[in-house]
Amino acid sequence: MPLDLARLAPRTTAAREESNAAPKLRTAVLGAGMLGIDLARRLIGSASLDTPLVAGREGSSGLRQAARMGCVISTSGIRAVLDAHVDIVFDASSAEAHPAHWAELASADVMLIDLTPSSGGTMVAPTVNGFRVETHRHLSLVSCGGQAVLPVLNVVAKHSTVNYVEVVTTVASASIGPATRNNLDEYVATTGYAVRRLTDAATTKVLATISPALPAPAFRAQITALADGINRDALIAGVESVASAVRAFAPGYEVTALGVSGDRITATVTVAARGGCLPAFAGNVEIINAAAVTLAEGYANSRRA
Ligand SMILES: NC(=O)c1ccc[n+]([C@@H]2O[C@H](COP(=O)([O-])OP(=O)(O)OC[C@H]3O[C@@H](n4cnc5c(N)ncnc54)[C@H](OP(=O)(O)O)[C@@H]3O)[C@@H](O)[C@H]2O)c1
């Protein structure tokens, strides 16, 4: 069942005024690092989600920045989140910490959106998955690479029989924190699992490069797929259409070099950060945080309707 994009689409003035009158949903962000601080900044700008509690741990230096942005902060991590009785929790800490966070929150009336590659929840990308987010309480956003390639691979799988998929991502070193570096194995495993589940390919390969080059390179994902029965025209039109749908929440999303030759399909996805205070090369942060806020706002709008 396709995701109900209507609930994610821009709302009419009347609907917006009505929804602005309803109380915003309360939010919390676990982790005050590269991802968590950008996410908090995006939530502060949301019409349907409240300024988040940002919960880190003792010594988390990003908490000072969150406080300067106007967020309530805590060094007590998940304990502070439980005490705050929020509606939506975003986990931007680490893949190791996430299972304990879900264990604590599973019996609370809360939606948990996991931005770490721990792969515990229902995997979702806004333009791909077919379900109404409000029926799920534990969402996994897979990874930044997953958010970049799954929309394209969903179209590829609809218009061919996929045998093999290779995804090679490049991120700038300056756009990732220590937890991302520590979670590289989880990134490869979770992204590969999501690609296999979506495409039914017998074999998948995910490779990741962290580039220290200067100037910092843009976030990029190179897709190669081997497939039978390719409907070339439908595939190309479908990719153009889904790229436009992703741009509705991540405006720097582009699919270039889309090609079909024999049984080989190739595409390059680049994401430039256009929102918030991120440098343009940090599209990896933008694509997953923009997806998280889009899904949360869709959930909030359905709750507030
Ligand atoms: N950066 C990206 O492009 C990106 C994209 C998609 C997904 N991710 C995933 O998102 C996660 C965070 O990445 P990042 O780049 O933001 O890393 P980061 O800069 O190291 O941020 C992680 C933050 O979480 C805090 N933390 C760790 N365990 C915690 C716990 N149990 N409770 C509360 N806070 C905790 C850390 O505290 P300290 O400051 O004390 O260490 C740090 O502030 C990783 O799992 C990564 O794989 C990252």
Side-chain angles (χ1 to χ4, degrees):
M1 191 202 328
L3 185 70
D4 183 359
L5 283 176
R7 71 180 58 248
L8 305 177
R11 293 159 73 79
T12 62
T13 307
R16 206 176 295 121
E17 277 167 6
E18 195 179 298
S19 101
N20 283 346
K24 295 180 178 184
L25 293 201
R26 294 156 303 168
T27 64
V29 174
L30 275 161
M34 189 68 74
L35 218 56
I37 293 298
D38 177 68
L39 187 52
R41 193 174 280 121
R42 287 167 194 270
L43 293 171
I44 289 168
S46 171
S48 53
L49 305 170
D50 219 344
T51 299
L53 160 72
V54 178
R57 53 188 181 182
E58 210 62 60
S60 294
S61 55
L63 288 175
R64 281 195 296 276
Q65 195 177 346
R68 280 197 298 275
M69 286 157 46
C71 300
V72 173
I73 59 166
S74 171
T75 54
S76 302
I78 188 66
R79 303 309 323 160
V81 171
L82 286 165
D83 290 346
H85 300 291
V86 298
D87 303 295
I88 304 177
V89 178
F90 300 87
D91 195 344
S93 61
S94 74
E96 305 82 75
H98 180 76
H101 293 158
W102 171 236
E104 293 281 4
L105 291 168
S107 57
D109 180 22
V110 64
M111 173 183 272
L112 176 57
I113 301 181
D114 180 17
L115 292 93
T116 81
S118 76
S119 82
T122 303
M123 294 186 170
V124 55
T127 61
V128 173
N129 286 58
F131 64 88
R132 296 157 63 90
V133 288
E134 61 268 29
T135 62
H136 293 257
R137 292 192 34 249
H138 185 197
L139 304 181
S140 160
L141 296 195
V142 184
S143 65
C144 52
Q147 290 298 325
V149 303
L150 293 174
V152 175
L153 288 172
N154 191 39
V155 175
V156 169
K158 276 186 188 148
H159 300 296
S160 70
T161 302
V162 184
N163 300 314
Y164 173 76
V165 180
E166 186 175 288
V167 173
V168 183
T169 54
T170 304
V171 297
S173 180
S175 70
I176 62 168
T180 303
R181 287 173 157 77
N182 290 339
N183 287 168
L184 262 192
D185 289 348
E186 291 86 348
Y187 168 88
V188 168
T190 299
T191 309
Y193 176 70
V195 168
R196 264 193 309 284
R197 284 280 303 274
L198 185 69
T199 62
D200 273 339
T203 313
T204 60
K205 186 105 192 141
V206 174
L207 303 167
T209 305
I210 300 171
S211 172
L214 292 174
F219 172 54
R220 170 186 298 261
Q222 179 68 42
I223 301 169
T224 306
L226 301 178
D228 297 320
I230 303 169
N231 182 339
R232 184 179 184 283
D233 292 348
L235 190 152
I236 289 172
V239 169
E240 281 170 7
S241 166
V242 81
S244 162
V246 176
R247 278 195 288 277
F249 60 90
Y253 184 90
E254 298 284 347
V255 182
T256 58
L258 177 61
V260 179
S261 172
D263 68 347
R264 180 180 293 261
I265 302 159
T266 51
T268 303
V269 178
T270 54
V271 189
R274 300 247 179 97
C277 300
L278 291 172
F281 61 76
N284 39 307
V285 176
E286 171 129 325
I287 187 78
I288 196 161
N289 279 350
V293 173
T294 296
L295 291 166
E297 287 182 336
Y299 171 67
N301 290 336
S302 71
R303 284 262 310 251
R304 286 153 36 107

